[in-house]
Amino acid sequence: DSGVTQTPKHLITATGQRVTLRCSPRSGDLSVYWYQQSLDQGLQFLIQYYNGEERAKGNILERFSAQQFPDLHSELNLSSLELGDSALYFCASSVAGGSTKNIQYFGAGTRLSVL
Amino acid sequence: QKEVEQDPGPLSVPEGAIVSLNCTYSNSAFQYFMWYRQYSRKGPELLMYTYSSGNKEDGRFTAQVDKSSKYISLFIRDSQPSDSATYLCAMIKNDMRFGAGTRLTVKP
């Protein structure tokens, strides 16, 4: 168990809908990262938050947004969902946001199915 | 050119074989090197990390780093069917960069 908790484990929804994925980082970790992994594809970095502030942005669509709350949990919001958004969404956390020892620990993921 | 290159495989070996998984990188500023194992539809799990050039051993797994050649390897001895997974290399400068992952199948 990595200590990173993601909910829900599985989400089934329809095109055009909006969903929220939740992540609780490991105790003591200040940084949260979101990744998308489509079937048989590599990890695509979406966005990083550090202590409530956006730190880095990857290939995140405008329909997607995220935030990190004062208790350090994070939410990834996906709106106007399309079939191609079906994927595994992983959250990872690390102690710091920009140090050289920024090893990430991953949650079990949320599997999103858009029908 | 990608910062981190990893052969996606797939790689298939018989049980008991020694497996060698490799990554190359272009940025000499990378300082920490990691290997993650990802079972199908599961989150990546940190296997090993190392800082300096040389070898680091943990059970059947050995991580090797050659900073002069910008090359890292993961060796798995006496491979088992339970080792079948995708292995991702990763490295840190200020942020983490992942390789694409190598899919390994160990056949009984």
Side-chain angles (χ1 to χ4, degrees):
Chain A
D1 184 1
S2 67
V4 179
T5 304
Q6 287 188 250
T7 57
K9 286 186 171 26
H10 196 179
L11 205 47
I12 302 173
T13 188
T15 54
Q17 295 299 305
R18 173 189 168 96
V19 297
T20 297
L21 313 183
R22 182 188 169 103
C23 171
S24 294
R26 294 187 319 156
S27 176
D29 284 0
L30 298 178
S31 206
V32 170
Y33 308 77
W34 287 97
Y35 292 86
Q36 180 192 55
Q37 187 175 46
S38 301
L39 190 62
D40 294 334
Q41 299 297 311
L43 290 168
Q44 297 296 319
F45 170 66
L46 295 178
I47 197 164
Q48 176 198 356
Y49 278 82
Y50 174 69
N51 204 20
E53 300 291 326
E54 183 182 304
R55 173 63 67 93
K57 225 172 190 177
N59 300 320
I60 187 167
L61 300 173
E62 285 191 11
R63 300 183 285 109
F64 296 0
S65 64
Q67 53 184 328
Q68 186 179 28
F69 295 87
D71 67 352
L72 300 177
H73 91 271
S74 178
E75 293 180 357
L76 178 67
N77 300 296
L78 315 176
S79 61
S80 303
L81 285 167
E82 302 174 0
L83 295 177
D85 297 328
S86 296
L88 278 164
Y89 291 84
F90 290 107
C91 168
S93 73
S94 68
V95 172
S99 74
T100 54
K101 190 174 182 179
N102 201 10
I103 296 171
Q104 296 176 28
Y105 295 85
F106 284 80
T110 292
R111 188 188 311 172
L112 174 65
S113 300
V114 182
L115 306 178
Chain B
Q1 182 188 8
K2 290 183 181 178
E3 279 190 293
V4 182
E5 298 275 3
Q6 182 176 11
D7 186 341
L11 183 61
S12 180
V13 301
E15 183 176 354
I18 296 175
V19 176
S20 172
L21 304 166
N22 311 297
C23 287
T24 58
Y25 61 96
S26 58
N27 192 333
S28 58
F30 285 126
Q31 295 186 305
Y32 284 86
F33 304 89
M34 282 72 61
W35 285 96
Y36 287 84
R37 177 176 62 196
Q38 185 178 21
Y39 291 115
S40 181
R41 297 177 180 263
K42 303 292 185 185
E45 167 195 3
L46 180 66
L47 270 180
M48 300 178 70
Y49 73 91
T50 184
Y51 174 72
S52 57
S53 282
N55 295 349
K56 181 177 181 180
E57 194 172 311
D58 184 1
R60 296 184 296 109
F61 298 88
T62 300
Q64 186 177 80
V65 174
D66 183 345
K67 288 188 176 180
S68 62
S69 301
K70 300 192 185 68
Y71 190 89
I72 68 170
S73 299
L74 178 70
F75 298 97
I76 307 175
R77 290 186 299 281
D78 188 24
S79 56
Q80 303 294 311
S82 59
D83 295 327
S84 298
T86 296
Y87 291 80
L88 300 101
C89 65
M91 42 202 77
I92 293 175
K93 183 178 48 177
N94 290 314
D95 300 308
M96 186 175 281
R97 295 287 183 267
F98 286 92
T102 300
R103 180 178 293 181
L104 171 69
T105 301
V106 181
K107 297 187 173 181

